[in-house]
Amino acid sequence: MKPGTRFALGAVVIVGAVVLLISEGVKATGTYFLTPTQLVEKTTADSTFYNLGLKVSAKVVRGSISRDPSARRVDFKISDGGQTFPVTYVGDVPDTFTDANDIDVVVEGKFGRDHVFHATDVIAKCGSRYEAVWDAQGKKA
């Protein structure tokens, strides 16, 4: 076998291994990021979306937060205006997670066949705290 052929075969093996590692890494760590409406549409069209790890971004429905401090469990509902479904989470929630105002949240977990989202992580957004302050001329202060 010529040295050039051996080099080409080695390069093909190395490039193939790198492509395989990248694709397997993306499969293992990649998650869908959906709204409640998109999630309901996808689960209706394809039942494999049940119990699949994903993230959902929505607003918490006011007055829906129910806490069980002894079990550290929080139940609430999320909605994007089109679809609403319950979420259950066991663990500590951020300080900004209250019923006082509209809360944007990102929940990570699995949507069960019982139509309850079983969250493994809850991230509460608080955009108003981090918005830039504008002066009367419309410039950042």
Side-chain angles (χ1 to χ4, degrees), residues 26-112:
V26 169
K27 282 183 194 174
T29 59
T31 58
Y32 288 97
F33 193 90
L34 304 170
T35 65
T37 299
Q38 291 171 327
L39 178 59
V40 170
E41 288 172 359
K42 289 204 179 275
T43 54
T44 302
D46 183 5
S47 64
T48 60
F49 270 85
Y50 288 111
N51 297 319
L52 180 70
L54 47 88
K55 294 180 180 179
V56 177
S57 178
K59 286 192 179 288
V60 175
V61 175
R62 277 191 183 196
S64 68
I65 298 175
S66 169
R67 297 173 193 262
D68 180 4
S70 63
R72 295 182 37 211
R73 180 178 164 162
V74 180
D75 296 316
F76 55 98
K77 292 181 180 178
I78 59 173
S79 177
D80 63 352
Q83 294 289 331
T84 301
F85 52 79
V87 177
T88 185
Y89 173 69
V90 176
D92 296 325
V93 292
D95 293 339
T96 56
F97 190 84
T98 65
D99 251 346
N101 52 11
D102 289 337
I103 307 168
D104 289 322
V105 292
V106 175
V107 292
E108 185 172 358
K110 296 178 179 178
F111 189 61

